[in-house]
Amino acid sequence: MTEVFYPTLDTPNTQILEFIICRDEQCATESEELMPLIGVLESDSLSFQQVNRSRNHELQITKTYTTDPERSTILIDVSIDTTQPANYKLYIYFDPTLNNSGMHDTAWTTGEALIATDAGISSALMSSNGFQETTCGFLGTSDGLRQLKESGRLSERYERAENGNVVQIGGLRSAQRFTVALAFGATAEEAVANAKASLAKGFARSQREYDKGWSSYIASLRTVEPKYRKQYNMAAMVLKALEDKTYRGAMIASPSNPWGAGPNANEATTTGYHAVWSRDLYHVATAFLAIGDKASADRALDFLFRAQQKSDGSFPQNSRVDGRPIGGALQMDQIAFPIILALQLERTDADTWRNHVKPAAELLIRRAAETEQERWEEEAGYSPSTIAAEIAGLVCAAEIAKINKDSTTAATYLAKADEWVANVERWTATTNGPQAEGNYYLRISRNQDPNDGEKLEINSGGGTYDEREIVDAGFLELVRLGIKRANDPLIKRSVAIVDRLIKVETPHGPAWYRYNHDAYGEQENGKAYDGRNGRGRPWPLLTGERGQFELAQGKNRRARRRLDSLMGFANEGRMLPEQIWDRRTEPDPALRFGEGTGSATPLAWSMAQFIRLAISLDEGHNVETPAPVMRRYTQGKR
């Protein structure tokens, strides 16, 4: 088990918690020795089970996870099955990374608990049948694992390890069934009290309470057809789980570090995807609105406006769950999406208009359609996807202005939106590019001339190219947001180019890369992305976006096949990843064609995209397309 968050969802505190298995004085960790299988216990509860088996079938460890709803405690029900019980001895191995860092932790043993603490966060690890022996040391030197691997026993035991990268080990008394508790608190005393109380309460009772809470939530939502219900329920529960419980409405992008970024405690602390992007939050909030959980969507908008938005109307690139900015780039779609969301949620009161919507809309106009970074957070210039969001944002702002009797400002916004609609092709579609005769949309143009062959440097060492060579499917946002018709000739021509250049057929159906020459993904040899030698892999959410485009075309069957593909991209725990492996060659056993890579998993945006496509198919139209935008530009009702 990795990534346990406390007290907030941007503060992971666990590198790994697993067993060490010793047989005939030969010791190895569970992740090294056993073959894992993940299972989902119920279709209406966020409950999981790991079944880890030895290759010789002598040993099976079954671990079922739950959370005590009353306390900051994870409980693990452990069942040991072996044909040779006398041959095996188990130790529990815990590498804490309190406060999202492996450094500066202090660990010790008190009574039956292994305790670690760092700057106001403490953990307590206990077992229902206690520990025979314990040790607290430093990773790689006195951590106990080294001793076990060298001699099959804890030759030296340490009661305390002060201010470093600590690791804790507890030798388990022989038992076929027991419960492990990992609890947290502001102090060591609170963490120990939580662990003891949860163990006294028992795994079964905690699991019943936990499951009841989730099943009640699922019962409150609109449903979908049985074929998709399990994946739909999981997507809804994951999005709900990614909302911080202290700073409500703050929903992180993923509870993971892609490719295990920053596992070494000596590296700088990284946030991974444990942060809030207003773009991702918009996608999540529209999914909540689609499934009937308007309260969660409203809290998301509250967070955007009250915690993230700056005095000039802008939003940070991303932020901590308390609203403190992290990245510094200005991404104009992230300014526009909260405006669209406000109208979709009917949050059109005078305060929202005056203090939040209007400042954001004024900033859109001041920046004149140009962005410091487009939706992939890499390039500056004129992006079809960004401009689509900006146009929709201005039209929605105009609608809110009208409701607040400000017809003059509404007219200004609509005039600017019309101007950008009239120019989006001229700014972002080349007429002399190498990918096809005739015009087609680029990923991005450095300036307002997409024909000048400006050089575009791809992030992560992807190389430098003529911007006319690089395409993505971001222009489909012009359709999803109601600005262009799905049968628009330029849209259709650009789709054909995208399919020729960045589409891949997988065992689960077609998937698409972000853009050609993308370098954000595993290396060619399957090793983790290192920032220099990667190659971008297909993103499942783009399959969902294609489904929404096909739904707008009236090709409902084809759109449904995209939903089937999305479901196929999910792993055994029904988690949809950020990226999937794109070839039959599998250089690593963990990389399988059409299945998740080491990228962020689950990705909230991917889970939200599944929900939106499923609901949109049920409704027969894209449910989050802003009605005023569609009326103005694709229905001609001005």
Side-chain angles (χ1 to χ4, degrees):
M1 178 177 68
T2 62
E3 305 286 29
V4 182
F5 296 85
Y6 172 89
T8 56
L9 271 170
D10 55 5
T11 311
N13 297 283
T14 302
Q15 183 66 31
I16 194 165
L17 175 69
E18 63 176 334
F19 290 116
I20 301 169
I21 304 145
C22 294
R23 182 177 185 269
D24 299 329
E25 296 188 347
Q26 299 295 312
C27 298
T29 62
E30 191 177 5
S31 55
E32 293 170 330
E33 188 73 9
L34 304 185
M35 298 179 293
L37 180 66
I38 305 295
V40 181
L41 293 178
E42 304 289 344
S43 64
D44 60 352
S45 179
L46 203 61
S47 259
F48 301 92
Q49 187 176 78
Q50 284 179 313
V51 179
N52 297 337
R53 296 187 181 97
S54 62
R55 289 170 177 80
N56 62 10
H57 304 291
E58 278 189 7
L59 177 68
Q60 175 176 299
I61 302 176
T62 302
K63 297 185 286 187
T64 307
Y65 296 83
T66 198
T67 299
D68 183 351
E70 296 181 299
R71 298 172 185 88
S72 298
T73 309
I74 290 175
L75 292 172
I76 310 171
D77 177 68
V78 183
S79 175
I80 307 295
D81 295 296
T82 176
T83 58
Q84 305 288 333
N87 289 357
Y88 287 96
K89 180 171 177 58
L90 292 183
Y91 295 82
I92 195 162
Y93 175 90
F94 180 45
D95 182 358
T97 54
L98 302 181
N99 270 313
N100 196 21
S101 168
M103 299 301 289
H104 310 300
D105 294 342
T106 294
W108 70 95
T109 305
T110 178
E112 294 290 310
L114 289 165
I115 297 169
T117 187
D118 177 18
I121 296 180
S122 295
S123 64
L125 180 65
M126 299 184 69
S127 169
S128 60
N129 67 342
F131 298 119
Q132 284 185 318
E133 55 184 345
T134 63
T135 185
C136 300
F138 296 108
L139 181 67
T141 56
S142 57
D143 61 12
L145 177 58
R146 187 173 177 178
Q147 297 174 34
L148 288 170
K149 286 189 171 184
E150 288 176 352
S151 65
R153 62 189 182 89
L154 293 177
S155 53
E156 293 183 83
R157 296 195 293 273
Y158 304 94
E159 292 185 3
R160 189 178 184 91
E162 189 86 28
N163 190 24
N165 187 3
V166 302
V167 172
Q168 300 174 293
I169 289 178
L172 293 158
R173 295 190 175 96
S174 179
Q176 287 186 304
R177 192 85 177 262
F178 57 94
T179 300
V180 172
L182 178 61
F184 292 87
T187 63
E189 291 76 15
E190 182 184 356
V192 171
N194 283 336
K196 287 182 176 179
S198 295
L199 285 172
K201 179 179 180 177
F203 181 88
R205 181 180 164 192
S206 293
Q207 186 181 40
R208 284 195 301 271
E209 293 176 0
Y210 179 83
D211 288 348
K212 182 180 178 181
W214 281 115
S215 62
S216 296
Y217 177 64
I218 290 298
S220 72
L221 306 178
R222 69 171 292 172
T223 189
V224 293
E225 63 178 273
K227 178 180 180 180
Y228 304 109
R229 198 166 296 158
K230 289 181 178 180
Q231 184 61 51
Y232 171 85
N233 288 354
M234 181 59 71
M237 289 187 292
V238 166
L239 296 186
K240 191 76 169 176
L242 295 184
E243 180 182 7
D244 192 74
K245 307 309 180 286
T246 301
Y247 299 96
R248 302 312 302 271
M251 299 162 190
I252 63 172
S254 177
S256 67
N257 272 337
W259 301 287
N264 186 331
N266 295 316
E267 295 178 12
T269 298
T270 60
T271 59
Y273 282 26
H274 315 140
V276 186
W277 280 259
S278 72
R279 179 191 307 103
D280 296 57
L281 194 48
Y282 156 82
H283 289 293
V284 169
T286 54
F288 276 128
L289 188 57
I291 63 180
D293 185 357
K294 185 175 182 294
S296 290
D298 274 320
R299 288 196 301 274
L301 187 62
D302 287 341
F303 177 81
L304 286 166
F305 282 157
R306 298 173 186 174
Q308 273 198 337
Q309 192 174 26
K310 301 177 183 179
S311 59
D312 65 353
S314 69
F315 295 82
Q317 180 177 350
N318 53 10
S319 79
R320 300 287 297 264
V321 297
D322 60 6
R324 283 178 292 159
I326 300 173
L330 191 63
Q331 300 173 6
M332 300 311 295
D333 61 340
Q334 295 205 130
I335 314 303
F337 280 133
I339 301 173
I340 301 169
L341 184 59
L343 185 65
Q344 290 168 323
L345 291 171
E346 300 180 340
R347 297 278 293 276
T348 59
D349 58 278
D351 176 74
T352 299
W353 158 242
R354 183 174 56 252
N355 295 320
H356 302 292
V357 170
K358 188 174 184 180
E362 296 291 335
L363 181 61
L364 291 178
I365 289 179
R366 289 199 304 274
R367 298 290 298 187
E370 186 177 8
T371 187
E372 289 181 9
Q373 288 182 348
E374 33 65 271
R375 69 173 180 165
W376 303 130
E377 301 194 293
E378 295 174 347
E379 305 292 348
Y382 292 80
S383 153
S385 61
T386 298
I387 293 172
E390 292 178 294
I391 292 167
L394 286 176
V395 174
C396 291
E399 196 75 8
I400 297 172
K402 291 176 188 175
I403 292 169
N404 285 275
K405 314 297 185 187
D406 192 345
S407 57
T408 301
T409 301
T412 300
Y413 293 168
L414 290 174
K416 184 58 68 174
D418 291 347
E419 176 190 328
W420 292 352
V421 170
N423 283 286
V424 64
E425 293 180 16
R426 183 170 66 84
W427 292 340
T428 66
T430 183
T431 59
N432 63 358
Q435 303 298 4
E437 293 184 5
N439 57 343
Y440 57 89
Y441 283 109
L442 301 182
R443 174 194 171 194
I444 195 166
S445 174
R446 285 288 189 198
N447 48 48
Q448 294 181 356
D449 182 2
N451 293 320
D452 65 0
E454 187 80 20
K455 296 302 180 182
L456 188 70
E457 184 179 353
I458 304 298
N459 272 31
S460 305
T464 300
Y465 299 88
D466 183 326
E467 67 185 10
R468 294 170 297 178
E469 292 186 40
I470 309 299
V471 301
D472 74 352
F475 59 85
L476 292 182
E477 290 286 85
L478 291 163
V479 176
R480 185 183 70 84
L481 292 170
I483 297 158
K484 296 285 186 179
R485 292 184 177 89
N487 63 355
D488 178 90
L490 179 55
I491 294 285
K492 292 172 68 176
R493 189 180 304 116
S494 299
V495 164
I497 294 168
V498 159
D499 285 351
R500 177 167 56 82
L501 291 176
I502 58 174
K503 176 183 175 182
V504 59
E505 291 289 345
T506 80
H508 302 295
W512 285 264
Y513 301 101
R514 293 193 301 175
Y515 51 85
N516 48 330
H517 302 295
D518 187 7
Y520 182 55
E522 266 84 359
Q523 300 174 55
E524 288 291 338
N525 59 10
K527 291 185 178 179
Y529 167 76
D530 64 356
R532 301 185 311 277
N533 302 303
R535 173 175 170 172
R537 310 295 169 178
W539 287 50
L541 68 88
L542 297 176
T543 297
E545 289 188 353
R546 175 56 69 93
Q548 290 199 271
F549 168 67
E550 289 163 341
L551 184 59
Q553 288 181 301
K555 299 177 179 178
N556 294 32
R557 271 189 200 174
R558 190 174 293 180
R560 190 167 296 279
R561 289 201 294 271
R562 305 297 176 240
L563 190 63
D564 292 341
S565 293
L566 270 176
M567 193 160 60
F569 296 147
N571 64 21
E572 64 268 30
R574 302 186 192 130
M575 300 296 166
L576 283 165
E578 178 187 63
Q579 300 180 40
I580 58 172
W581 189 244
D582 59 346
R583 58 191 64 186
R584 298 186 187 282
T585 304
E586 298 168 353
D588 185 291
L591 296 172
R592 297 177 181 173
F593 192 20
E595 298 184 15
T597 66
S599 60
T601 306
L603 185 68
W605 189 352
S606 298
M607 303 299 257
Q609 185 62 65
F610 181 89
I611 287 173
R612 291 196 319 198
L613 182 54
I615 297 297
S616 294
L617 280 163
D618 276 2
E619 293 290 326
H621 64 91
N622 289 315
V623 294
E624 81 280 3
T625 301
V629 183
M630 187 166 56
R631 284 196 302 267
R632 188 170 186 86
Y633 298 119
T634 62
Q635 296 176 346
K637 298 176 181 179
R638 299 197 182 191

